[in-house]
Amino acid sequence: PLALPHRIEAVRGYSSLDVLRFKEYLGFIADVHKLKNKKQRIEEVVRLTGLMSESKKRVGQLSKGYKQRVGLAAALLHHPEVLILDEPTSGLDPNQIIEIRNVIKEQGKNKLVLFSSHILQEVEAICDRVIIINKGKIVADDKLSNLQQRSTSAVVRVQFKEALEAEWLKRLPAVQSLNKVDTHTWTIETNNPDTVRNELKKLERENNLDIVSLQSENQSLEEVFRSL
């Protein structure tokens, strides 16, 4: 019955999962873990995961995003020392994603959270340490900040007051690749960020241009992942 939650009608008189209100489902999980402060703990995880507004709905009536929240609430119910999450923000809208990210970060302060995802922006937003696996082998295991800095190339982001064509920037010797962010903004991949910044300032002076902003950025985890 624990491996097949849709058949929990066989356990202690509980009905099918979809017709249970989610608090009843959490009550079942609390009984499995033999929690003594069952009611209090259920209320705590309901508040923590933002489920208060849906308290009268049955599990089968919840959206995919709120079902994700119920799963997270059930996982947190018994104060686990290790929390294993696989794509926990899947199906959530942008506001819900931020809320659940904050919950996960808060949990990470006092327990080990293993977070599995192929959405690397999520990994960057949540994780401190990153393990990258390629074909079953670990190819990286380091702090996120270290991984972003270990690449041989860097990214320089420049914004001009004027709208420039790509040819203006492709002429610069230290530019490896170029990406247009918008009409006025470009990101430049290079092995020599200092050289690129100097070349951009020279371009500005010699052509009477106006650089609004100029800064170096760490490579995104996605770029590091692809290179590995």
Side-chain angles (χ1 to χ4, degrees):
L2 295 184
L4 299 171
H6 59 288
R7 294 296 303 277
I8 63 173
E9 66 271 16
V11 181
R12 296 188 59 185
Y14 283 94
S15 57
S16 174
L17 176 58
D18 276 354
V19 300
L20 287 177
R21 288 184 172 83
F22 74 79
K23 282 190 176 181
E24 293 175 317
Y25 168 65
L26 293 177
F28 163 69
I29 298 298
D31 287 342
V32 168
H33 291 291
K34 299 179 181 180
L35 294 185
K36 295 180 180 179
N37 56 342
K38 169 180 170 180
K39 186 175 180 180
Q40 176 186 344
R41 184 57 185 157
I42 288 174
E43 291 302 321
E44 287 174 355
V45 297
V46 165
R47 286 195 302 272
L48 186 65
T49 55
L51 282 164
M52 296 85 69
S53 62
E54 306 295 308
S55 60
K56 295 183 179 180
K57 287 187 178 179
R58 303 183 188 280
V59 173
Q61 297 173 317
L62 296 173
S63 67
K64 181 180 178 181
Y66 274 99
K67 286 179 180 177
Q68 290 281 91
R69 291 177 184 236
V70 172
L72 182 57
L76 292 171
L77 199 59
H78 63 294
H79 294 290
E81 292 183 11
V82 179
L83 184 64
I84 303 175
L85 302 173
D86 183 23
E87 304 285 3
T89 60
S90 174
L92 304 184
D93 66 38
N95 289 330
Q96 292 174 330
I97 287 174
I98 292 172
E99 291 173 10
I100 295 302
R101 278 181 188 171
N102 291 336
V103 171
I104 296 170
K105 286 181 184 178
E106 190 63 28
Q107 293 302 309
K109 292 179 180 179
N110 50 38
K111 59 172 58 71
L112 174 64
V113 180
L114 297 177
F115 176 81
S116 172
S117 180
H118 66 281
I119 303 172
L120 298 180
Q121 294 91 335
E122 284 284 276
V123 176
E124 285 183 298
I126 294 174
C127 300
D128 300 309
R129 175 183 166 197
V130 178
I131 299 173
I132 297 177
I133 299 174
N134 183 34
K135 297 179 180 179
K137 294 183 178 180
I138 294 176
V139 294
D141 180 358
D142 208 339
K143 290 182 178 180
L144 175 62
S145 56
N146 291 344
L147 277 179
Q148 290 172 323
Q149 292 171 6
R150 67 188 267 181
S151 174
T152 56
S153 62
V155 175
V156 175
R157 185 184 182 94
V158 60
Q159 181 182 0
F160 290 91
K161 185 176 181 180
E162 301 79 12
L164 295 186
E165 296 297 328
E167 285 68 26
W168 284 72
L169 301 176
K170 286 180 178 178
R171 298 190 205 121
L172 305 180
V175 172
Q176 287 184 312
S177 64
L178 195 61
N179 178 56
K180 187 176 184 178
V181 179
D182 57 43
T183 309
H184 301 270
T185 309
W186 300 83
T187 56
I188 300 168
E189 188 172 333
T190 177
N191 286 329
N192 300 291
D194 291 337
T195 301
V196 164
R197 285 194 293 270
N198 290 333
E199 289 174 350
L200 288 168
K201 291 173 183 176
K202 182 179 178 182
L203 180 71
E204 176 189 33
R205 290 193 305 269
E206 292 179 350
N207 296 276
N208 198 28
L209 301 174
D210 187 2
I211 294 178
V212 177
S213 67
L214 177 61
Q215 59 191 34
S216 296
E217 298 179 346
N218 285 331
Q219 274 205 316
S220 70
L221 186 61
E222 183 175 347
E223 291 166 327
V224 175
F225 180 90
R226 288 174 61 191
S227 68
L228 289 169

